[in-house]
Amino acid sequence: MRPIIEFCTNNMHLGTDKVMKELEKNPEYDVIEYGCLGYCGVCSMEPYALVNGELITAQTPDQLKEKIEKEIEEYLKTFDLDV
């Protein structure tokens, strides 16, 4: 089961556009961009994404990428899939 990573276009000004582009390079991930994910309060304050429906936030885009990758690693362990 491939992890699904969702990004909000309204959050791109906080650097999530670069994170999204990097994660799109991995063919094992489903990376999706939406016009709005409904987390407007979070969206205006910090970089965020959803990983399999789980809200992931961080202070910087680099921290967000690290947190996303850690969440994916935990997700794959849950299903005993190779990490």
Side-chain angles (χ1 to χ4, degrees):
M1 195 168 203
R2 292 165 36 141
I4 300 170
I5 308 156
E6 300 168 279
F7 289 92
C8 176
T9 57
N10 296 315
N11 194 247
M12 298 295 173
H13 71 283
L14 293 174
T16 56
D17 56 330
K18 294 176 186 120
V19 176
M20 186 180 79
K21 287 176 186 173
E22 283 188 43
L23 294 172
E24 284 178 326
K25 293 176 186 176
N26 188 328
E28 298 298 315
Y29 300 163
D30 286 329
V31 180
I32 305 167
E33 179 182 356
Y34 290 102
C36 180
L37 290 172
Y39 291 90
C40 301
V42 173
C43 188
S44 66
M45 302 288 286
E46 58 191 348
Y48 86 99
L50 298 179
V51 177
N52 298 319
E54 188 82 25
L55 178 65
I56 307 295
T57 65
Q59 292 181 351
T60 69
D62 289 336
Q63 289 174 348
L64 180 65
K65 185 173 181 276
E66 288 175 23
K67 286 183 166 185
I68 289 171
E69 289 173 340
K70 184 176 180 180
E71 182 69 23
I72 290 170
E73 186 177 317
E74 292 300 316
Y75 170 77
L76 295 175
K77 284 181 185 177
T78 301
F79 295 100
D80 273 339
L81 300 173
D82 291 332
V83 182

